[in-house]
Amino acid sequence: MKKIGIIDLGTNTFNLLLTQIEEQSYTILHKTKIAVKLGQGGINKGLIAQKAYQRGLDALKSHKETIAKHQINEFYAIATSAIRSANNGTQFVNDVQEQLNIYINIIDGKKEADLIYSGVKQAIDLEEKPKLIIDIGGGSTEFIIANSKEIFWKNSYQLGAARLLEKFTPNDPIKLDDVNAIESHLSATLEDMIEMAETYEVDTLIGSSGSFDTLAEMISCKKGNCSAWKKQKHFDFDMHDYNEVQRLIYGSTLKERLTMKGLIPMRSDMIVIAIVIINYILNTLTIHNLRLSSYALKEGLIDTLLRNPHQWQKSSL
C-alpha cells in the first residue's frame, strides 16, 4: 500500500489530488486547489507575467507542504496549456525544479485529452453511443468523442476561458455583439469538431470539472443545498435549471457575480466565457443531455499510473 499525489498545473488553478493505492484501485485522501491565474496579463502574448509567475511558485510550495504533511510516498506534477505555450514556460519549469525540487511533466493537448477521457470514464458509464466530452480550461479547451471502450476523435484548441477573456474583453455585463464575436471565432476554429460530432451523432455533452463544477454548485445552491452535487462522481443537469443559471450569468455584472452563491471569485469573470462556449455547442449540435464528470485529468493520471507507471517522471519529495 502506498500513497500517490498529483499536481495538475492548470492555467486557472493548480490542483492537488492525494490518493492511497491498493492493488489496482485507489482511494482519494485529499483534494484541494489554489487559484493562480497563470495566464493573467500575458496568455495571449505567450508569456507568464511576473505576478502570475510568483503566484505559481507560491502555490507549488504550499502544495508540497501539504504532500509532506500527508506522508505521500511519491507524486507527479503535470503542466498544461499556460506553461506549454508560454515563451518563459521552460524557465518556470526550471525555476520550480531548482527552488522546490519538483520535476514537472509538460504534456501536449492530445495527451491532456487522453487523461481527461481516462478520468471521465471512471465517473460516468459512457456506454456504447459516442458522447462529446469537453474540458474548458483557462488556456485550452479539449474535445473528445468517445464511448466506454475507445476514443474516436480528440483535439485541443487554444480556446481557454482566460485566453478568450483577454482576447475579446467583453462588456460587463456581456452584450450580444460580444457573444456574436466570440461565437464567430468558435465557429471558425471548431469546424472540424462540429463535423466529427455530427458524423458520430452525439447527443450528450459531458463537461469535466472547472466551469461545470461551478454551474452544478450554483444550481444546487438555488435548490437549498450547495454541496448536493458533490455526493456523486457525476451530475446530470436539468436543462431548465441550466438555462435559468446561464441567463442569470449573462445578465449580471462582475460585481453581482462575486456575490452569487456557488460561484467562487476565481471563476466570476471566466464563467461568462464558459457559458458562451457551452451555449455555442448546445445550439450548434443536437444535444439532449448535459452532464458533469467531477473526475478529469488528475484522476485520469492516477488511472494511467496504475496501469503503466513508467511513462511518467516522478517529482522529488
Side-chain angles (χ1 to χ4, degrees):
M1 188 188 301
K2 65 179 178 180
K3 297 177 181 178
I4 293 180
I6 303 292
I7 303 177
D8 168 15
L9 288 78
T11 303
N12 294 327
T13 58
F14 282 7
N15 304 287
L16 178 66
L17 174 69
L18 304 181
T19 65
Q20 184 168 292
I21 307 298
E22 297 181 52
E23 297 179 352
Q24 289 299 298
S25 64
Y26 68 93
T27 304
I28 295 174
L29 300 175
H30 180 76
K31 290 174 80 170
T32 189
K33 60 180 66 176
I34 298 175
V36 293
K37 291 199 171 185
L38 205 62
Q40 191 172 57
I43 193 163
N44 290 314
K45 303 170 189 172
L47 182 73
I48 303 171
Q50 186 176 355
K51 288 183 179 178
Y53 201 101
Q54 189 59 51
R55 286 197 298 270
L57 292 173
D58 292 343
L60 288 173
K61 183 180 179 183
S62 176
H63 279 333
K64 191 171 182 183
E65 289 169 354
T66 303
I67 286 168
K69 187 172 120 180
H70 283 82
Q71 299 179 312
I72 300 300
N73 304 105
E74 61 188 61
F75 74 98
Y76 299 79
I78 306 295
T80 55
S81 180
I83 292 173
R84 70 173 173 249
S85 63
N87 294 328
N88 58 343
T90 302
Q91 182 61 53
F92 180 82
V93 168
N94 292 339
D95 283 349
V96 168
Q97 188 155 15
E98 184 179 320
Q99 296 179 31
L100 300 173
N101 198 26
I102 296 174
Y103 176 85
I104 297 173
N105 296 269
I106 300 178
I107 61 172
D108 63 24
K110 295 289 182 73
K111 175 56 74 174
E112 190 172 352
D114 286 338
L115 293 177
I116 291 163
Y117 169 70
S118 294
V120 169
K121 71 176 184 175
Q122 293 175 58
I124 293 177
D125 180 1
L126 297 176
E127 303 175 321
E128 288 292 323
K129 186 171 173 55
K131 313 290 191 296
L132 177 60
I133 300 166
I134 176 175
D135 189 297
I136 303 173
S140 66
T141 294
E142 283 65 50
F143 292 86
I144 305 123
I145 298 173
N147 66 9
S148 61
K149 295 177 182 176
E150 62 181 312
I151 293 175
F152 301 107
W153 179 90
K154 64 188 176 185
N155 207 353
S156 176
Y157 301 88
Q158 299 283 68
L159 294 175
R163 194 180 296 278
L164 294 179
L165 185 66
E166 288 207 4
K167 180 180 177 67
F168 289 95
T169 57
N171 288 278
D172 184 32
I174 195 168
K175 293 182 178 178
L176 183 58
D177 286 349
D178 300 318
V179 175
N180 289 339
I182 298 167
E183 286 191 344
S184 178
H185 180 64
L186 293 175
S187 181
T189 308
L190 295 175
E191 190 174 345
D192 57 338
M193 186 279 291
I194 296 298
E195 182 180 339
M196 295 306 294
E198 289 174 343
T199 298
Y200 283 98
E201 299 180 342
V202 300
D203 64 1
T204 297
L205 177 63
I206 300 171
S208 63
S209 62
S211 299
F212 288 89
D213 284 351
T214 297
L215 293 170
E217 183 139 349
M218 290 180 73
I219 289 168
S220 296
C221 285
K222 287 178 79 67
K223 292 179 179 295
N225 184 356
C226 287
S227 62
W229 69 280
K230 297 179 181 178
K231 293 176 182 177
Q232 295 183 336
K233 297 175 185 176
H234 58 83
F235 178 88
D236 291 347
F237 291 92
D238 177 284
M239 293 310 294
H240 174 78
D241 292 335
Y242 169 76
N243 284 325
E244 192 175 286
V245 168
Q246 65 92 11
R247 281 195 297 268
L248 178 66
I249 291 168
Y250 262 175
S252 64
T253 63
L254 176 60
K255 184 177 180 181
E256 288 167 340
R257 290 193 297 277
L258 286 168
T259 66
M260 289 181 184
K261 284 187 178 180
L263 178 50
I264 59 174
M266 193 276 292
R267 294 200 186 279
S268 56
D269 51 358
M270 286 176 281
I271 191 66
V272 180
I273 302 295
I275 290 292
V276 176
I277 296 172
I278 296 166
N279 284 353
Y280 172 77
I281 296 165
L282 294 177
N283 293 331
T284 305
L285 298 173
T286 309
I287 300 294
H288 300 303
N289 306 295
L290 182 60
R291 309 184 72 187
L292 157 72
S293 165
S294 57
Y295 281 19
L297 184 147
K298 303 182 301 299
E299 292 81 7
L301 179 54
I302 285 289
D303 181 63
T304 302
L305 287 167
L306 291 176
R307 290 182 283 110
N308 185 8
H310 304 297
Q311 67 176 295
W312 299 100
Q313 172 69 49
K314 295 178 188 177
S315 294
S316 301
L317 286 170

